[in-house]
Structures are given as C-alpha cells and as structure tokens.
Amino acid sequence: MIGLTNFRINGLPMSAPKLDRPRATFVLDKIDEILHWEKSKEQERDVRFVELGQYLCEVRAGQYWRLENLKSFDEFLEKRFPESRRKAYYLMAIHENLTRIPKPQLREVGWSKAAEMAKVARKDGQNFDCATWLHKANELPKEEFKREVERHLTGQETEPWELIYFKLYKSQLPVIEQALETAALMLGSDKSRGYVLEMICADFLAGANADDQNSDALMLSLDRLFGLLPLVKQQEFLGTVREASRDL
C-alpha cells in the first residue's frame, strides 16, 4: 500500500495537495450517498455510475482520503468497495476517457459497455470515433459488443466462450495434468489449456470413429485437429494427403 511519504517525482518527494475540507466532505458524502442508493435500488443500481466515477477521480486527485486519516487511495477503495475495487477503476476510466460522450448517453448504454468503450478511447486517443462506438454499444448485445472491442484492440477475431466447471478427484489430477502437458508440448506453449483439452478430445473422437460409420464425427475431429497444428505442420500434412491421393 502506498503512503503519502512514498510519492516522488524525479526522485524528490511530491508535496500533497492542500486539502479542501469542505469540498472533500461534500464529495465523500456524495460517494456514500450513491453507494447507499445503489444498494437500496437494485433495479436501478448502475444509473449513477457516471457521477460516481467523476467523484472517485476527484478523491484521487485531491487526496480527499486524508480527511478520514487513511494512508492511500487504495485504502479508501478497500473501505468503500470491499467486494471489488476493479469496478471503481473502471468507473474512473469511463470518466477520464469518454469525455466527448454526453453523460445521458453514457447512462443509456450502462457501465459495463461504457467500460469497454473506455478501452477503445484510451487506445485510439484523438482518433477515437465516439459516434460509431456509441452506436455499436446501443445496438449490440453486451457479449457481442465485448467481442467487437476485443477485435479492435487486438486485431484478431474472437469467438464466444464460456467457463465449464466440474469436479475432479485428487487421484485423477496426475493423469490429467500429464495429458495436458504432453499435448501442450505438441501444440506449443502459447496455446491455452482450452485448446489443449480440445486437441485431446478431438484425438480421442478421431480414434473412436476411425472404424465405424460415423464419418461426420471423424471429419469434425480431423478438422479441429488440423486447425490446431502449427502452419508448418499443416503444410506437411497437406503434402502427405496429396501424395496419398495420387496412389488411390
């Protein structure tokens, strides 16, 4: 945790801003009012996120946490947001990066979409096309909008995903871990465990359906296995298939 004495600029201690006690009291009271209002208005809890983000940025800039004898802004967030400080930082990012979008329009898209737009605005800077992204936020479902943002930020296509949970006994873990590690060596260490698990399952399906009449399942397995191979291995595989087809 960062204390006031730890702030430095060019190796020299940075003096804390003069504490405006009346303003600090007003802002802290407004934050508490909004947080209390959110708890009592479950159906409308995210309507005031724009206002809350603005006040949080002011608390950080003016170091208003000193009014409560706290040591840092992080300690202030721990006190006000015990469940998740991450949301507080998202709200601040919205306030700092989406200044060109009117507040009523931000409220309409909701804080989660606004947080995604803030990522685009931070990356694009002066080139941020707020009208286009605001239109996308209004028109697209939340998950589809997140994928659109991800494509813009990474330049890569993404696909829908979900987390799957199931119980494993401790006695099963060594076999599973060894299988995942072995497949990862084949695929490359940059592949996620989800891809590695898919490789194992596709390999199993290919073997299970090699001798029966379920050609569709076999083709699906082979297609996914091929897609997971490195480019060099894909070309090598295609060359082998061409050689085999000449002998038919």
Side-chain angles (χ1 to χ4, degrees), residues 76-139:
F76 169 80
L77 291 183
E78 286 179 4
K79 182 178 179 181
R80 292 308 198 286
F81 295 84
E83 296 180 358
S84 175
R85 285 180 291 170
R86 180 181 300 178
K87 181 176 180 179
Y89 283 112
Y90 282 149
L91 299 182
M92 293 165 65
I94 291 169
H95 173 71
E96 292 174 327
N97 294 283
L98 300 180
T99 56
R100 292 157 53 192
I101 300 178
K103 292 181 180 179
Q105 292 180 314
L106 278 178
R107 293 189 188 100
E108 289 178 6
V109 302
W111 83 268
S112 59
K113 285 185 178 180
E116 293 297 321
M117 273 198 295
K119 298 176 185 177
V120 178
R122 185 165 54 242
K123 176 181 182 292
D124 291 356
Q126 294 298 319
N127 296 321
F128 175 59
D129 187 349
C130 58
T132 297
W133 282 101
L134 188 61
H135 175 73
K136 290 181 179 181
N138 281 314
E139 295 297 321

Side-chain angles (χ1 to χ4, degrees), residues 198-211:
E198 184 185 6
M199 173 75 166
I200 295 172
C201 294
D203 183 56
F204 172 81
L205 286 175
N209 293 288
D211 297 326

